[in-house]
Amino acid sequence: MPRIPDHLLDRIKREIPVRLLVERAGIELRGLGDNLAGRCSRHDDSTASLIVTPDKNLFHCMGTCQKGGSVIDWVMWQKEIGFHQAARELAEEFFPDDAQKLFGRKAEIAERRRGEELPSPLREGAEDQELVSDAVAYYQARLERSPEALAYLGKRGLDDAELIARFRLGYGDRTLGVTLSVKLRRKLQEVGFFRSSGHEHFNGSLTVPFFGEKGEVLGCYGRKINDNLRPGTPDHLYLPGPHRGLLNREAFKASGEILLCEAPLDALSAWRHGFRNVTTAFGVEGFSEELHEAFLAHRTERVLIAFDRDEAGDRGAEKTARKLAAAGIACYRVLFPKGMDLNDVALKMHPAEKTLGLFFRSAEWMCGGNGAKTVLFGGSGTNGSGGLDGPGGSEGLEGPEGPRGAGGSKASKPAQRAALKAHVETAATSPGEAAKKEERTQAAKEGSTSSDPLVSLGDDEAVFLFGDRRYRVRGLKRNTAFGVLKLNILLTREDAAGGDLFAGSPLTGLHADTFDLYLARARQLFERQAALELGVKDDVVKRDLAAMLRKLEDAQAEALRRLHEPKVSEILLSEKETAEALAFWKSPNLLDRIVSDMTACGHVGEATNKLVTYIG
């Protein structure tokens, strides 16, 4: 039997992922610091004692087995065969060309046999493009069988069957590589679905493919669905290389007006709530050339940039707008609340369709356009198509020179906001709903309190809306005991014509104070002063505070529950520490070492007493 050369043994140990072999054995691995852990199949293992270290490509059963080593050791252990036979089998499967030169035609037979034993979900003879489509289709099928991925979609408000099918969403559940042949694995590594380490690129990620003109898959985005990732693990992934393909390419043909989001899940949220003329960049710095060319080729007239409302989003929006404006495209900035993105707004501010529509219709012109009056979210473009296809979609009033009123004269910003809101709500309201809306408006004027006034709730801040009265509450974190609810409350009353969601709406009153909601005297003082400042009755503010108090008590109880939950800290030993510990416990002179250590600690007496003390 020929000797296996050292260079081939080194390749076997270095290039064949031990994780792959472990998972092939049906063992599920989960992250544990820098390592992976799973339940050993060779003994009763309820504590996941089988440790895999990807960086060193080693395994170690810390339980009953006490086995460890390289991929060759794994095969020897699992199949109970010798070193040479284990190395040969691995060489025949993963390095068939080298094995054939060394062992002859049997390597080809072994490779075919293993191919028959491990049927692949992908086509063996597929070209790269077909292989990418097959991988996306495989992930799509796995999503339907992944409760954790479906739960994540529900948490993000994207659990819609039409949306999942339309955008071919999928999930990388770590099973793609289990039954792949060596040839397919190598090809998938070349197109980016596997890394050089042997890991699936989209492990544990929701996948969103990007398509070309003919419907072919050109790119893919992955979003990790778990929050307990080791530090430094990115939440967002793309295939290696230049960004290719577009999300929702049909939008460019349907309208001269496009909503441009920062990330795919934001775009899916907009589509989910009825705004169909939407696409996405590849992050704040990911405005690709292909995306830019699509805007130019379809003669897009207006782009609403709905990037996240943070420093990076503002910077990316400015950069993107300048590039589009150079081609004569009018660019508008959608101004979400600070620190929020489109998906946050859809989840936290209800009803989502109406709220998003109001934010879109109040978008501020940034640059671009020909200086003439344009139509925002509606009307016909140069391609004869309608504007953004959203609920209650209608003509807007703002263009590069600012909003215009009757006769073409410039309108003030408050008047523009009022006109936009009135226009949108009129378009979205059917005749049958108009009477109900009037009743609700009248009730708000009379000081009624909404049954569900909570608009948003964070760790330290909450916002409540009661008709035309808006309460911003801060300081929730400071209240760490029951019976105390000292908060800073800012109450504003907004002009009914100015809208209830936009910064800069005309105010008819404002009052702010810091006090304990449980103190009746302080509460009554706030009610009287706020009512005086806002021009409402004391009872109106009193009812508002009572409704807020119930919501804030619930939030405080939940925060205190989380605060007092026992914190379980897991101590992980390094490989060196583990080896030292095992060496200590396996030492043939263990009892002598214990006696010696106890003596060094200052204990005196007989050796037996020292051992009893140590055990105790």
Side-chain angles (χ1 to χ4, degrees):
M1 187 175 290
R3 176 182 177 275
I4 303 176
D6 291 340
H7 72 84
L8 182 55
L9 290 175
D10 290 338
R11 287 192 66 193
I12 291 172
K13 294 178 181 179
R14 186 178 64 254
E15 298 182 23
I16 301 175
V18 68
R19 174 181 181 172
L20 170 64
L21 302 185
V22 173
E23 290 179 334
R24 275 188 180 180
I27 298 173
E28 181 180 3
L29 296 175
R30 296 184 179 276
L32 186 66
D34 293 333
N35 301 320
L36 302 168
R39 291 186 174 88
C40 180
S41 60
R42 303 299 292 269
H43 69 275
D44 186 14
D45 190 7
S46 59
T47 57
S49 61
L50 182 64
I51 306 300
V52 173
T53 307
D55 290 344
K56 297 182 178 180
N57 207 27
L58 298 173
F59 77 96
H60 196 152
C61 177
M62 311 292 291
T64 305
C65 302
Q66 290 298 313
K67 296 287 186 179
S70 68
V71 288
I72 299 177
D73 298 302
W74 173 266
V75 175
M76 291 171 60
W77 179 37
Q78 294 295 307
K79 295 190 175 183
E80 298 181 353
I81 57 179
F83 177 91
H84 194 281
Q85 185 177 351
R88 174 172 176 166
E89 288 192 7
L90 289 169
E92 288 176 342
E93 180 177 359
F94 291 90
F95 308 109
D97 295 335
D98 292 337
Q100 184 178 354
K101 293 176 183 178
L102 192 61
F103 302 116
R105 289 180 52 81
K106 290 184 178 180
E108 297 178 355
I109 299 172
E111 186 178 15
R112 287 199 300 271
R113 183 173 68 250
R114 288 180 179 81
E116 292 168 358
E117 292 171 354
L118 301 172
S120 171
L122 311 183
R123 291 172 287 177
E124 282 287 346
E127 297 295 329
D128 287 355
Q129 184 58 62
E130 296 172 327
L131 202 58
V132 170
S133 295
D134 285 352
V136 166
Y138 179 78
Y139 284 148
Q140 186 179 5
R142 299 307 300 174
L143 176 65
E144 300 172 0
R145 303 181 183 181
S146 304
E148 56 180 344
L150 294 173
Y152 177 78
L153 285 174
K155 185 175 74 171
R156 300 299 295 264
L158 301 173
D159 50 342
D160 177 77
E162 181 187 5
L163 179 140
I164 292 171
R166 164 71 174 74
F167 290 97
R168 295 178 60 185
L169 305 186
Y171 177 59
D173 64 349
R174 303 173 178 83
T175 63
L176 177 61
V178 173
T179 58
L180 288 182
S181 68
V182 178
K183 182 179 179 181
L184 278 176
R185 174 179 283 274
R186 287 175 179 169
K187 292 188 70 175
L188 279 177
Q189 183 174 326
E190 291 173 2
V191 297
F193 278 84
F194 277 88
R195 300 174 185 169
S196 58
S197 63
H199 298 91
E200 271 186 67
H201 185 59
F202 293 116
N203 268 353
S205 300
L206 179 76
T207 58
V208 184
F210 295 87
F211 299 95
E213 286 282 359
K214 300 178 181 178
E216 71 278 21
V217 179
L218 296 181
C220 193
Y221 163 80
R223 175 61 166 88
K224 296 289 188 183
I225 68 170
N226 292 323
D227 298 326
N228 57 340
L229 303 173
R230 66 181 182 183
T233 303
D235 290 328
H236 308 272
L237 300 168
Y238 293 95
L239 286 177
H243 296 307
R244 299 182 62 209
L246 301 178
L247 183 73
N248 198 26
R249 186 181 288 270
E250 295 77 8
F252 291 92
K253 300 176 183 178
S255 175
E257 186 169 73
I258 299 292
L259 177 67
L260 176 63
C261 295
E262 177 180 323
L265 296 195
D266 289 332
L268 296 179
S269 293
W271 195 94
R272 167 74 174 82
H273 293 290
F275 299 93
R276 301 298 170 88
N277 291 354
V278 61
T279 192
T280 182
F282 298 83
V284 291
E285 298 294 334
F287 186 70
S288 67
E289 279 303 315
E290 186 175 359
L291 185 57
H292 185 219
E293 290 170 4
F295 283 113
L296 302 183
H298 292 90
R299 299 182 181 179
T300 302
E301 292 180 334
R302 292 166 301 280
V303 175
L304 275 72
I305 302 175
F307 285 8
D308 297 358
R309 191 75 191 282
D310 54 25
E311 184 178 347
D314 291 340
R315 186 172 60 250
E318 288 286 348
K319 184 176 179 180
T320 301
R322 287 196 298 270
K323 193 167 185 178
L324 290 171
I329 299 173
C331 297
Y332 299 79
R333 180 73 164 109
V334 179
L335 298 175
F336 296 127
K338 283 287 186 182
M340 295 182 73
D341 59 26
L342 191 150
N343 185 250
D344 291 331
V345 172
L347 290 174
K348 297 177 181 178
M349 305 180 76
H350 304 288
E353 291 83 356
K354 182 177 178 182
T355 303
L356 289 173
L358 290 171
F359 276 116
F360 296 156
R361 288 165 179 82
S362 69
E364 293 186 351
W365 176 78
M366 299 177 70
C367 54
N370 57 13
K373 179 180 176 183
T374 63
V375 177
L376 182 60
F377 275 49
S380 59
T382 56
N383 57 6
S385 59
L388 190 70
D389 181 16
S394 57
E395 287 189 351
L397 302 173
E398 181 173 332
E401 293 185 352
R404 296 185 178 276
S409 60
K410 282 192 177 182
S412 65
K413 191 67 175 177
Q416 174 210 1
R417 294 185 182 278
L420 284 170
K421 183 186 176 186
H423 186 80
V424 133
E425 291 189 349
T426 301
T429 305
S430 65
E433 293 174 331
K436 294 181 181 179
K437 180 187 171 186
E438 180 60 30
E439 291 176 6
R440 291 194 298 268
T441 303
Q442 186 61 33
K445 291 180 179 178
E446 293 173 0
S448 66
T449 298
S450 168
S451 60
D452 187 14
L454 185 62
V455 172
S456 67
L457 176 64
D459 290 340
D460 198 49
E461 179 176 313
V463 175
F464 298 84
L465 286 178
F466 299 91
D468 58 356
R469 303 176 304 286
R470 180 182 186 274
Y471 293 79
R472 188 206 65 199
V473 180
R474 289 179 176 171
L476 298 175
K477 282 185 177 179
R478 293 197 301 265
N479 296 275
T480 57
F482 290 112
V484 178
L485 207 54
K486 188 173 183 180
L487 302 165
N488 173 265
I489 301 180
L490 171 65
L491 167 59
T492 57
R493 186 183 182 196
E494 299 174 344
D495 190 333
D500 57 358
L501 291 174
F502 305 127
S505 297
L507 303 178
T508 60
L510 178 151
H511 181 63
D513 199 357
T514 300
F515 64 99
D516 191 335
L517 270 173
Y518 284 130
L519 297 180
R521 183 181 180 85
R523 196 169 59 246
Q524 291 168 1
L525 184 63
F526 181 88
E527 291 164 2
R528 287 198 298 271
Q529 191 62 33
L532 181 64
E533 295 284 353
L534 271 68
V536 298
K537 297 179 180 179
D538 293 8
D539 288 346
V540 172
V541 182
K542 183 177 182 179
R543 288 197 300 270
D544 291 351
L545 291 181
M548 288 165 51
L549 180 58
R550 289 191 290 272
K551 294 283 186 181
L552 293 171
E553 282 181 327
D554 292 341
Q556 183 189 41
E558 175 62 20
L560 291 178
R561 183 191 67 77
R562 293 197 303 267
L563 180 65
H564 295 294
E565 279 182 344
K567 303 295 187 298
V568 180
S569 59
E570 186 175 14
I571 300 175
L572 299 177
L573 299 181
S574 68
E575 188 173 346
K576 180 181 178 182
E577 291 169 334
T578 301
E580 290 175 351
L582 290 173
F584 175 77
W585 287 113
K586 291 179 178 181
S587 173
N589 61 338
L590 176 62
L591 297 183
D592 293 338
R593 290 185 61 180
I594 291 175
V595 172
S596 175
D597 289 345
M598 294 292 285
T599 302
C601 291
H603 292 278
V604 296
E606 296 180 0
T608 302
N609 292 337
K610 292 178 181 178
L611 287 174
V612 172
T613 302
Y614 180 86
I615 294 172

